[in-house]
Amino acid sequence: MLLYLVNRFFLKRLEIDGPLCRLIQWHLNDFLGEIVFLCYVNILVKAGGYQRIVKLPSILLVVLMTCIAWEYIIPFFIKYSTTDIKDCFAYLLGGITYWLIQQAETP
């Protein structure tokens, strides 16, 4: 969450240009957001009495739904929202990172 806040309120306001800077400014929050979103989904799933989402196929399904929702449906309703396939790749990397974290925590 700290990385998100640093990117949102500090890094995005820097006037530095370059591919790495643009990657961080434009896609870091999508990467981090997917990790946080999967945590939130698991809180809701667990509260509903279901098993947490920890298997890669289930995580990838959530990533796919995130991509479809934010990149293809939401732009119809929010004028400043645009479709960017690179965001879907950031969601995918976030989902895989979440899965790797889950694997590291499982004994």
Side-chain angles (χ1 to χ4, degrees):
M1 190 59 115
L2 179 62
L3 283 174
Y4 170 83
L5 294 172
V6 167
N7 189 40
R8 172 76 171 87
F9 295 107
F10 179 70
L11 295 178
K12 283 191 171 201
R13 296 171 190 224
L14 293 177
E15 297 292 330
I16 300 171
D17 197 22
L20 180 60
C21 189
R22 284 193 303 269
L23 181 70
I24 290 170
Q25 289 176 335
W26 296 343
H27 303 292
L28 178 62
N29 286 351
D30 297 317
F31 167 78
L32 296 171
E34 189 65 30
I35 295 170
V36 171
F37 181 66
L38 283 162
C39 292
Y40 179 68
V41 166
N42 272 325
I43 289 169
L44 295 177
V45 166
K46 193 71 173 167
Y50 299 97
Q51 289 187 346
R52 292 174 47 238
I53 298 171
V54 294
K55 294 183 180 176
L56 187 58
S58 299
I59 291 171
L60 294 178
L61 180 62
V62 172
V63 169
L64 178 63
M65 292 187 310
T66 303
C67 181
I68 290 170
W70 282 109
E71 302 304 322
Y72 297 101
I73 296 173
I74 297 298
F76 286 110
F77 302 100
I78 299 176
K79 290 183 180 186
Y80 62 84
S81 183
T82 59
T83 299
D84 184 357
I85 194 69
K86 290 179 242 165
D87 288 345
C88 292
F89 186 66
Y91 303 145
L92 177 63
L93 290 177
I96 291 171
T97 301
Y98 179 82
W99 177 73
L100 290 171
I101 291 168
Q102 294 300 313
Q103 297 303 302
E105 290 180 352
T106 305

